[in-house]
Amino acid sequence: GQQLNQSPQSMFIQEGEDVSMNCTSSSIFNTWLWYKQDPGEGPVLLIALYKAGELTSNGRLTAQFGITRKDSFLNISASIPSDVGIYFCAGLSGANNLFFGTGTRLTVIP
Amino acid sequence: EAGVAQSPRYKIIEKRQSVAFWCNPISGHATLYWYQQILGQGPKLLIQFQNNGVVDDSQLPKDRFSAERLKGVDSTLKIQPAKLEDSAVYLCASSPSRVGEKLFFGSGTQLSVL
């Protein structure tokens, strides 16, 4: 299957700080997605990106679809304790094939 | 709107035993997925159904895993016989469209094979 690498693997930040994470692939994707997974739950969709270069926001979250179509970035501004969780990027190849990244574990220290 | 329901929540079995997981998708969602999530990794697709037909099962280990979706609604995933490396969370997801982007996930079944 496709390999999507996320960095960093984990982050510890103070409440109120901004966060940046990214996702890279050796393959091109038509759609990039960002999901968040809380402990003991399934992933929840945060943002979907459909065009190379696209920048999309959802509240304090901003994500970008890389121009090469092989990467994507997620930024969280002014972090709060409930931002804690694992963030997964996912790339959609064709109509059906959704591949998930390795995840970035975020810890927010109050 | 009710979410994707999965049961059981947890299951512990010994290797070589059989196990089955159940999923009830969001009402009206034609597309249903089963994912395997090994600890520390992202979810990996096992099988995708469109109504009661299989769209993609290329990553399903068919010698031991099977899945069905009767009447295009509920689905079951079975492992027989289980191996130690099958220990994982099994996530069910559904989508209102055939395009696999806006997936709604259940809470998963955590399987431990001893």
Side-chain angles (χ1 to χ4, degrees):
Chain A
Q2 309 277 12
Q3 187 81 6
L4 276 70
N5 296 309
Q6 290 186 243
S7 66
Q9 269 192 317
S10 62
M11 306 179 73
F12 291 80
I13 60 168
Q14 290 288 139
E15 183 177 355
E17 288 184 344
D18 297 344
V19 172
S20 290
M21 60 188 79
N22 69 67
C23 181
T24 58
S25 169
S26 56
S27 303
I28 289 173
F29 289 105
N30 302 321
T31 301
W32 280 96
L33 305 148
W34 284 91
Y35 283 84
K36 182 187 177 216
Q37 187 171 29
D38 291 331
E41 300 296 331
V44 173
L45 181 65
L46 298 174
I47 289 182
L49 302 152
Y50 302 101
K51 243 170 44 171
E54 179 182 351
L55 188 72
T56 296
S57 293
N58 178 7
R60 295 179 295 105
L61 276 61
T62 302
Q64 184 159 25
F65 191 141
I67 292 174
T68 65
R69 295 167 63 195
K70 292 183 177 181
D71 56 6
S72 181
F73 306 87
L74 177 69
N75 296 315
I76 305 173
S77 62
S79 59
I80 59 178
S82 61
D83 290 335
V84 164
I86 303 177
Y87 291 79
F88 289 101
C89 64
L92 187 64
S93 174
N96 304 311
N97 300 322
L98 188 63
F99 297 94
F100 281 83
T102 49
T104 292
R105 182 182 294 273
L106 177 64
T107 301
V108 179
I109 303 166
Chain B
E1 180 184 75
V4 176
Q6 288 190 247
S7 68
R9 201 73 167 91
Y10 304 93
K11 191 74 177 177
I12 300 173
I13 62 172
E14 294 188 346
K15 60 183 180 184
R16 290 188 289 272
Q17 285 187 323
S18 303
V19 65
F21 313 125
W22 173 82
C23 172
N24 181 240
I26 292 173
S27 177
H29 283 194
T31 311
L32 184 148
Y33 308 79
W34 283 101
Y35 280 84
Q36 180 193 58
Q37 186 174 23
I38 292 171
L39 186 64
Q41 299 182 18
K44 186 187 89 170
L45 179 68
L46 292 175
I47 189 167
Q48 177 187 350
F49 291 94
Q50 177 75 15
N51 296 310
N52 60 347
V54 175
V55 174
D56 182 357
D57 64 356
S58 58
Q59 297 187 79
L60 188 73
K62 297 180 190 65
D63 57 335
R64 298 183 301 105
F65 285 65
S66 64
E68 60 181 6
R69 190 182 184 195
L70 298 174
K71 300 180 183 178
V73 182
D74 293 6
S75 177
T76 55
L77 176 70
K78 295 179 183 176
I79 308 175
Q80 180 181 6
K83 292 186 176 180
L84 296 176
E85 59 260 35
D86 297 333
S87 294
V89 174
Y90 290 85
L91 294 162
C92 179
S94 68
S95 171
S97 74
R98 193 173 191 275
V99 179
E101 54 179 80
K102 293 193 174 144
L103 271 57
F104 294 82
F105 283 88
S107 299
T109 295
Q110 185 169 331
L111 174 67
S112 296
V113 182
L114 307 178

